[in-house]
Amino acid sequence: MSAVIETRPADVLVTERTVKNYLTEGRTLRSWLLTTDHKRIGILYLYSILIFFAIAAAAAALIRAELITPQGDLVTSETYNKLFTVHGVLMVWFFLIPSIPAVLGNFVIPMMIGARDVAFPKLNLLSWYLFNAGGLLALYSIIFGGVDTGWTFYTPYSSAFSNSHVVSMAAGVFVAGFGSILTGLNFIITVHTMRAPGLRWHRLPLFIWSLYSTSVILVLATPVLAITLALMALERIWHLGLFDPKLGGDPVLFQHLFWFYSHPAVYIMILPGMAVVSETITCFARKKIFGYYFVAYSSVAIAILGFLVWGHHMFVTSQSVYAGFTFSLLSFLVSVPSGVKVFNWTATLHRGSISLQTPMLYALGFIGLFVIGGLTGLFLAALATDVHLSDTYFIVAHFHYVMVGGMVTAFMGGLHYWWPKITGRMYPEKLGQLAALITYIGFNLTFFPQFIMGYLGMPRRYHAYPGEFQIYHVLSSAGASILGVGYLLPVCYFIWSLKHGKKAPPNPWNATGLEWQTPSPPPKHNFEHIPVVTGPPYQYSAEAEEELQHA
Amino acid sequence: MPEVHTAIAEQFEDMPQQKSAATLGMWTFLATEILFFGGMFMSYITYRHAYPEAFAEASRHTIVLFGTINTAILLTSSLTMAFAVHAAQVNKTKSLVRFLLLTVFLGCCFLVVKGFEYHDDITENLWPGPHFKKSLLPQAQIFWFLYWAMTGLHAIHVTVGIVLLAIIARMAARLKFSDFYHTPVEISGLYWHFVDIVWIFLYPLLYLINRYS
Amino acid sequence: MNFPIFPPQGSAFAHRVDHLYFALVAFSLAMILLILLPMIYFLFKYRRGKKANRREPRIPEVTIEITWISIPLLLMVGLYAWGADLYFHEQRPPSNALEINVIGKQWMWKTQHPEGNREINELHVPLGRTVKLTLASQDVIHSFFLPAFRIKKDVIPGYYTTEWFQATRLGTFHIFCAEYCGTHHSGMIGKVVVMDPAEYERWLSAGRPTTSLVQEGEKRFRELGCSGCHMGSSVIRAPPLEGVFGKPVPLQTGGTTIADEGYIRDSILLPNSQIVAGYQPVMPSFQGHVTEEEVLELVAYIKSLGSRPPSESLGSRIEEQR
């Protein structure tokens, strides 16, 4: 029984279709396209990112199909290069970066802090339009021939040699970037100024701490990407020369500027996942988090340290050895706060009352896969091994473990966890557990062989390869088809649940957290009366849960 | 009694909350702008360190008269903006509108001077590319690329500022502000001061290196 | 079915990198077990419905946190130092190395041996000899990756990068381009062939062209008119080049720089970026008039200019290279 919240009465159980909620108030297309309701904007983002995910996943399927045989026989080299570029660009900027923040963050944050909306609802809608405008530019680039520079756009290939639609793609990323800046800005201000009475910083759920840290990165790092891509595009359009070696320009300067953003960007692509895990592990173990302050501040530490390590992407570019030493040491250090989180989550299970429902399965899956991904990061932080492993499949495996095994898994977990709140329906639990298991198996089969291939020397972005690597590519492609099924299944049953899923009560998981004090789905303005918070989060009791079980 | 525009948006509980949100929002946005310009400042620092001679030579071809006039214009416009904010704080609507319009006017003067300057720069063949002034070192093109990119981006920000302040002036003329509520004036002021500060960095870096030695 | 796990260990350095790799694997396994075993144990012992002691434990939370932060941290600093030490060694080619130039261009590798032998997509080297590669790009960024030696270096247009190795094993090993460079990036592969020193000499003689690298450079030097200003008694003042390589050069701006390969390359392609003190910026740029291969030949020639005048016989010049 949580003694955290005193709400003044009138939060009613929703059992009838005719009761008003944010979904039913206004059913026209216009009411959706001009909405300023953070909950609707979260859903709009979900639709948008799923479209881009589908395109990028199709590209991945073609890539894995091509790589089953050592020869480049399914598609031409040009096409292959465009496939991996499109896969990377869309997955990073049009799926992963918005995913948890723009979908779950938008939906949950105001409710979680007891607010009626974000600080700037109109800017929130604007961010969605910017995202889609960027997306349209990206689609234009793809439809009219594609880009083949890799998602990293390295100069001088991108600025002076590529014969593909670089500028439109870069413009798409530029515009979408401003959408994510606005999202981050909105979250920061919201958390600072709109917390419910009594909700001190140290009473905030860890979801907020992580998303707040993510937002700081979004806001400070993305502008650097924007200006870097703009400079590259200007160089390409007007044959000017900031990165042009013929004028004394330095192509590696592009890399410094690019990675100054892109390294913090990877923390944008993991912190929100960690945010979800903190919520689900506590709920499904019925225990308060072990080491609240450590987990909270580890998010802040990751955000800060994340800005100091970009050079570890450039150990083989002939930067000074001393720069190498510095970036390597800092890269080892930045792993510490992530380790802190993992240890604390595991310790939270101790003396808990653990239920292996779908969100918990995804949380545990996250820990398993993120640990592998994170540890392999150490191989890359270590200078001498990084020299060998740079630009090989080891890197590909590493980042897929953290981004897909980590972030996407957590995103799935979060979607399942908050689905009842968002839609008012339950998803089918057994299918949920099955999908989680299939994903976990498929994922490991897809990406673990890539570590081995990488150390063997298999370079990345290769259309064709020497025969000795084939066995690993075949395993990887087999895994990819299983992984595909694991992701397809939830799409199907989520859609099914919208009409046929069991109606959800306000708090199906008996979770603490202000968002569960509203009906499922919530009313348009979230709370009838703003709640007052009187204690810390996660006031679970494993003992009480067990008593309930044995009653 | 002038019409008091209460303007508490529905997501906020009260005016102080709205005001602190708006102010923190603008400061955060300005932080992003620093990073946005920052990429180019970093490029400038890198290349100036690598090619000091080329940069000095290239900088000598900037039109320091126009640069200095523009600095004076912008600094004055920050002064008028500060007066405008003060007028809002003491509920002097007529002064508020006048100072806002004065700031807008000075901003436009800045752009006009910049326009003349750009024209002269182009006739001097200072646009990087195949027709770049032959008498300069090749790396001078890097300086000039940064000149156009940095002053161009700055000019875009000045333009946005002008439009923003014109809108605020119109709202002020329609008595939407008072000593109780004038947050939009204050945060527009923050934006305008930021635009000025960027110029204060650009001016010495672009116009004044090695000019008189 | 063949499941290779490791590339061949072509050098002592490769062994050392593999040791670090094993240490990292061991560390990772330890961490995984330290996390997974308790996790699985808890999942079983405390699953819902199972009787167990679930009372709030009295634990010194902060002590535990500090412990599990500091121990991994210490181990990681150790791993860092090990990696940094190896890297430092790898980044510093020993002196007296056999110097071979490698030029990367879309989408092939060209190598230049000092004796004049050239190869495409192949690199023959003698066993046991330190080989230092100077890498240049004709167009975009490439990366010269030799998995058997665990080394890789980006090849960047606009400057020279270097990497070195000492082969301790005979055989044929992969060369891969490891930085995406366009359409046929995956075709930019080749072979390193490590041979017995005697066999290597035979291979050199069999394929040796009539001119060595230095001699090609000398030819180029005259053809392009460099000797007109830089040699002997000429009208236009240009810095003399005898003995300039490797020495500090005073600059117009007041500092000095070392005249290494990169400096010589810049002086040819971007002559006015670092003007020697006391000279006018009158040297024309040869950008677009020489390929990276030709620049490397010129560099080899200029390196060979000791303090002797340039009219030596070809035979003794080759002696100098050895």
Side-chain angles (χ1 to χ4, degrees):
Chain A
M1 191 47 219
S2 78
V4 174
I5 301 122
E6 301 162 13
T7 51
R8 285 163 223 141
D11 281 320
V12 205
L13 259 177
V14 177
T15 46
E16 292 162 39
R17 278 183 90 224
T18 50
V19 176
K20 281 210 229 176
N21 59 54
Y22 81 100
L23 289 169
T24 56
E25 277 198 67
R27 290 184 188 270
T28 61
L29 187 61
R30 188 192 154 89
S31 73
W32 276 88
L33 292 179
L34 291 180
T35 183
T36 51
D37 180 355
H38 65 99
K39 301 182 287 299
R40 287 194 169 194
I41 293 177
I43 295 183
L44 289 175
Y45 262 109
L46 182 60
Y47 285 135
S48 298
I49 67 174
L50 283 178
I51 295 174
F52 292 108
F53 180 80
I55 302 173
L62 281 169
I63 292 171
R64 286 289 1 138
E66 169 66 85
L67 291 174
I68 294 176
T69 57
Q71 304 83 8
D73 42 16
L74 191 64
V75 295
T76 62
S77 287
E78 281 95 349
T79 305
Y80 184 83
N81 297 338
K82 289 174 184 176
L83 284 174
F84 70 68
T85 304
V86 162
H87 173 75
V89 171
L90 291 186
M91 282 300 191
V92 168
W93 283 304
F94 293 93
F95 173 65
L96 272 171
I97 290 198
S99 61
I100 295 177
V103 176
L104 297 175
N106 259 324
F107 198 97
V108 169
I109 289 179
M111 293 199 292
M112 219 185 230
I113 64 172
R116 298 198 189 286
D117 208 313
V118 291
F120 308 119
K122 295 200 198 111
L123 282 186
N124 206 5
L125 183 66
L126 176 63
S127 84
W128 183 71
Y129 278 104
L130 285 172
F131 174 80
N132 285 302
L136 279 172
L137 283 164
L139 283 174
Y140 167 85
S141 169
I142 297 171
I143 292 170
F144 284 88
V147 206
D148 72 345
T149 57
W151 80 279
T152 47
F153 292 108
Y154 275 12
T155 55
Y157 184 72
S158 58
S159 52
F161 287 82
S162 171
N163 282 323
S164 60
H165 291 80
V166 179
V167 175
S168 47
M169 188 60 96
V173 175
F174 183 95
V175 172
F178 282 99
S180 49
I181 291 175
L182 286 180
T183 300
L185 190 138
N186 232 331
F187 288 169
I188 292 175
I189 312 308
T190 305
V191 174
H192 269 279
T193 60
M194 295 175 73
R195 282 164 287 128
L199 191 48
R200 307 200 276 264
W201 280 89
H202 290 152
R203 286 180 176 170
L204 283 169
L206 294 166
F207 186 83
I208 306 289
W209 278 97
S210 267
L211 274 166
Y212 179 85
S213 306
T214 307
S215 301
V216 171
I217 306 175
L218 273 169
V219 144
L220 294 179
T222 317
V224 180
L225 173 76
I227 198 69
T228 306
L229 290 180
L231 290 172
M232 179 272 292
L234 286 176
E235 180 150 332
R236 186 177 166 84
I237 300 171
W238 280 312
H239 309 292
L240 310 172
L242 199 62
F243 309 117
D244 182 347
K246 296 199 201 56
L247 290 175
D250 189 351
V252 177
L253 177 64
F254 175 86
Q255 293 183 33
H256 279 288
L257 292 171
F258 179 83
W259 287 111
F260 185 81
Y261 157 78
S262 293
H263 190 84
V266 314
Y267 295 109
I268 298 174
M269 297 189 277
I270 195 64
L271 277 170
M274 296 169 156
V276 172
V277 173
S278 290
E279 296 304 305
T280 48
I281 276 219
T282 44
C283 176
F284 290 91
R286 309 307 299 171
K287 257 204 79 202
K288 75 176 203 287
I289 190 80
F290 187 93
Y292 172 87
Y293 290 94
F294 284 86
V295 181
Y297 284 100
S298 66
S299 294
V300 177
I302 290 173
I304 296 174
L305 286 171
F307 274 97
L308 303 178
V309 298
W310 77 91
H312 68 221
H313 298 271
M314 299 165 60
F315 286 148
V316 294
T317 60
S318 256
Q319 62 184 5
S320 112
V321 250
Y322 303 104
F325 290 161
T326 314
F327 284 121
S328 171
L329 183 60
L330 285 165
S331 302
F332 274 99
L333 291 180
V334 78
S335 71
V336 172
S338 295
V340 165
K341 283 186 197 269
V342 172
F343 297 141
N344 279 290
W345 289 323
T346 310
T348 303
L349 296 173
H350 175 56
R351 299 210 180 170
S353 165
I354 302 169
S355 153
L356 292 177
Q357 285 159 292
T358 308
M360 180 58 139
L361 285 182
Y362 278 113
L364 296 172
F366 175 99
I367 294 178
L369 298 174
F370 172 73
V371 163
I372 297 176
L375 286 169
T376 52
L378 298 179
F379 289 67
L380 304 172
L383 287 157
T385 39
D386 182 85
V387 167
H388 177 62
L389 294 170
S390 231
D391 287 306
T392 64
Y393 260 77
F394 194 96
I395 306 257
V396 176
H398 161 74
F399 66 68
H400 281 94
Y401 260 85
V402 276
M403 296 205 291
V404 183
M407 184 74 156
V408 178
T409 304
F411 183 49
M412 293 299 266
L415 269 181
H416 283 79
Y417 183 58
W418 279 295
W419 190 257
K421 182 59 57 185
I422 296 173
T423 61
R425 300 279 182 165
M426 302 300 290
Y427 60 84
E429 180 60 41
K430 284 272 171 282
L431 278 181
Q433 293 170 316
L434 180 65
L437 198 58
I438 294 177
T439 316
Y440 191 76
I441 295 172
F443 178 86
N444 277 305
L445 188 57
T446 310
F447 292 105
F448 200 85
Q450 295 186 3
F451 282 125
I452 303 178
M453 258 204 279
Y455 200 77
L456 263 177
M458 171 77 205
R460 48 183 298 204
R461 298 172 166 174
Y462 263 38
H463 175 217
Y465 56 85
E468 75 231 47
F469 298 109
Q470 183 175 23
I471 178 62
Y472 298 109
H473 275 294
V474 168
L475 286 172
S476 186
S477 296
S481 25
I482 301 175
L483 187 60
V485 170
Y487 286 141
L488 205 50
L489 210 49
V491 172
C492 297
Y493 63 64
F494 274 145
I495 295 177
W496 173 90
S497 78
L498 289 176
K499 276 264 149 60
H500 307 286
K502 214 167 55 155
K503 286 253 172 59
N507 194 350
W509 314 118
N510 215 3
T512 63
L514 296 179
E515 76 270 25
W516 300 105
Q517 306 303 316
T518 64
S520 301
K524 186 158 176 220
H525 292 293
N526 301 340
F527 299 97
E528 201 73 21
H529 304 279
I530 301 292
V532 176
V533 175
T534 55
Y538 313 121
Q539 299 256 41
Y540 294 108
S541 163
E543 286 194 286
E545 180 66 36
E546 285 297 311
E547 265 161 50
L548 256 155
Q549 291 292 314
H550 294 297
Chain B
M1 173 85 182
E3 176 196 314
V4 174
H5 184 108
T6 49
I8 301 181
E10 57 178 0
Q11 68 268 21
F12 296 114
E13 291 293 295
D14 52 38
M15 184 60 83
Q17 188 186 47
Q18 179 173 280
K19 184 174 158 98
S20 71
T23 312
L24 184 59
M26 180 50 81
W27 279 107
T28 309
F29 175 69
L30 294 180
T32 73
E33 293 276 56
I34 294 176
L35 271 298
F36 194 46
F37 277 94
M40 289 196 286
F41 277 100
M42 283 317 296
S43 304
Y44 176 96
I45 291 172
T46 308
Y47 285 125
R48 167 129 178 230
H49 176 76
Y51 307 120
E53 270 179 14
F55 264 52
E57 188 191 49
S59 163
R60 277 192 280 274
H61 284 81
T62 55
I63 307 171
V64 70
L65 177 65
F66 285 154
T68 311
I69 292 175
N70 265 343
T71 307
I73 291 175
L74 267 189
L75 284 173
T76 312
S77 75
S78 263
L79 181 64
T80 54
M81 184 71 225
F83 283 146
V85 172
H86 175 78
Q89 286 166 342
V90 297
N91 213 9
K92 290 213 168 108
T93 309
K94 269 219 284 277
S95 296
L96 168 60
V97 177
R98 286 202 188 120
F99 281 121
L100 284 172
L101 289 176
L102 198 45
T103 313
V104 167
F105 171 70
L106 287 169
C108 293
C109 290
F110 177 92
L111 289 178
V112 167
V113 171
K114 203 90 203 105
F116 282 119
E117 184 181 3
Y118 277 167
H119 174 265
D120 285 354
D121 289 330
I122 290 181
T123 44
E124 281 283 301
N125 286 324
L126 290 166
W127 178 264
H131 305 292
F132 189 74
K133 204 176 186 68
K134 300 268 185 293
S135 60
L136 291 176
L137 296 170
Q139 294 91 334
Q141 285 195 52
I142 298 180
F143 173 93
W144 278 94
F145 178 104
L146 286 168
Y147 167 89
W148 289 102
M150 292 168 101
T151 58
L153 187 64
H154 179 260
I156 292 174
H157 281 78
V158 171
T159 311
V160 168
I162 289 172
V163 171
L164 178 67
L165 290 178
I167 295 174
I168 300 290
R170 189 159 174 267
M171 286 170 75
R174 290 173 170 203
L175 307 177
K176 298 270 197 263
F177 305 124
S178 65
D179 52 353
F180 174 69
Y181 171 74
H182 52 267
T183 316
V185 180
E186 290 186 342
I187 63 178
S188 306
L190 279 177
Y191 177 81
W192 191 257
H193 292 312
F194 171 78
V195 168
D196 190 15
I197 290 175
V198 172
W199 180 259
I200 290 173
F201 278 86
L202 287 180
Y203 174 62
L205 287 179
L206 294 174
Y207 292 88
L208 298 182
I209 32 171
N210 236 346
R211 187 167 277 270
Y212 299 108
S213 55
Chain C
M1 199 106 266
N2 195 18
F3 281 92
I5 308 262
F6 286 100
Q9 289 173 321
S11 63
F13 183 74
H15 282 270
R16 295 176 69 185
V17 173
D18 286 354
H19 289 156
L20 174 56
Y21 182 71
F22 290 134
L24 283 160
V25 171
F27 179 80
S28 305
L29 277 173
M31 295 299 284
I32 291 174
L33 289 174
L34 275 169
I35 295 166
L36 279 188
L37 290 179
M39 181 196 285
I40 296 175
Y41 175 67
F42 294 150
L43 288 178
F44 276 100
K45 175 154 183 187
Y46 297 107
R47 67 178 180 278
R48 195 163 300 171
K50 181 146 193 272
K51 278 207 166 359
N53 175 12
R54 288 182 168 86
R55 247 195 329 241
E56 277 289 336
R58 296 180 144 279
I59 340 181
E61 229 180 67
V62 179
T63 313
I64 294 184
E65 299 276 1
I66 308 247
T67 310
W68 66 33
I69 292 177
S70 40
I71 295 181
L73 185 58
L74 274 159
L75 290 169
M76 288 201 296
V77 171
L79 290 167
Y80 153 74
W82 186 348
D85 176 58
L86 265 182
Y87 179 73
F88 194 75
H89 171 78
E90 184 251 343
Q91 296 285 312
R92 273 167 164 47
S95 46
N96 266 339
L98 172 59
E99 296 191 9
I100 300 180
N101 299 327
V102 177
I103 299 99
K105 72 187 271 300
Q106 285 172 322
W107 288 281
M108 61 166 85
W109 296 105
K110 298 190 186 180
T111 59
Q112 292 174 338
H113 291 255
E115 295 80 2
N117 298 61
R118 282 152 204 274
E119 310 181 67
I120 292 190
N121 291 332
E122 283 189 8
L123 177 62
H124 283 73
V125 292
L127 181 75
R129 183 90 189 275
T130 312
V131 175
K132 176 180 155 194
L133 304 172
T134 299
L135 308 159
S137 168
Q138 189 67 55
D139 38 48
V140 296
I141 303 181
H142 300 277
S143 192
F144 199 67
F145 178 30
L146 303 174
F149 304 116
R150 314 291 186 272
I151 59 171
K152 171 189 295 118
K153 192 53 76 80
D154 279 2
V155 185
I156 302 171
Y159 37 100
Y160 292 144
T161 55
T162 59
E163 58 180 339
W164 71 273
F165 62 93
Q166 184 176 39
T168 51
R169 190 166 157 168
L170 296 171
T172 304
F173 309 108
H174 284 298
I175 298 173
F176 289 131
C177 175
E179 184 61 62
Y180 175 70
C181 52
T183 312
H184 295 296
H185 168 60
S186 38
M188 201 163 155
I189 65 179
K191 322 198 281 228
V192 184
V193 181
V194 182
M195 312 170 101
D196 228 325
E199 231 196 288
Y200 175 71
E201 290 303 321
R202 281 197 293 278
W203 174 84
L204 275 180
S205 334
R208 177 174 303 165
T210 48
T211 47
S212 72
L213 193 60
V214 169
Q215 287 163 339
E216 281 295 310
E218 186 175 17
K219 224 169 60 178
R220 207 71 62 197
F221 193 79
R222 295 190 196 288
E223 279 168 11
L224 292 167
C226 319
S227 43
C229 300
H230 281 286
M231 292 255 151
S233 57
S234 42
V235 181
I236 299 175
R237 280 184 21 104
L241 300 176
E242 288 84 351
V244 76
F245 183 78
K247 308 277 192 322
V249 174
L251 297 175
Q252 195 82 301
T253 47
T256 54
T257 188
I258 301 291
D260 57 9
E261 288 92 340
Y263 174 78
I264 296 177
R265 178 182 180 281
D266 283 346
S267 304
I268 299 170
L269 299 178
L270 284 168
N272 296 320
S273 52
Q274 288 181 303
I275 303 172
V276 180
Y279 290 89
Q280 295 302 310
V282 295
M283 174 169 165
S285 162
F286 287 82
Q287 185 88 59
H289 299 292
V290 283
T291 63
E292 292 293 334
E293 289 170 80
E294 290 165 343
V295 173
L296 283 165
E297 289 163 1
L298 288 165
V299 167
Y301 172 64
I302 293 169
K303 272 167 90 159
S304 74
L305 295 173
S307 36
R308 303 165 208 221
S311 52
E312 290 295 300
S313 68
L314 296 179
S316 55
R317 188 61 54 70
I318 292 170
E319 281 309 297
E320 253 179 345
Q321 273 298 92
R322 299 268 176 136

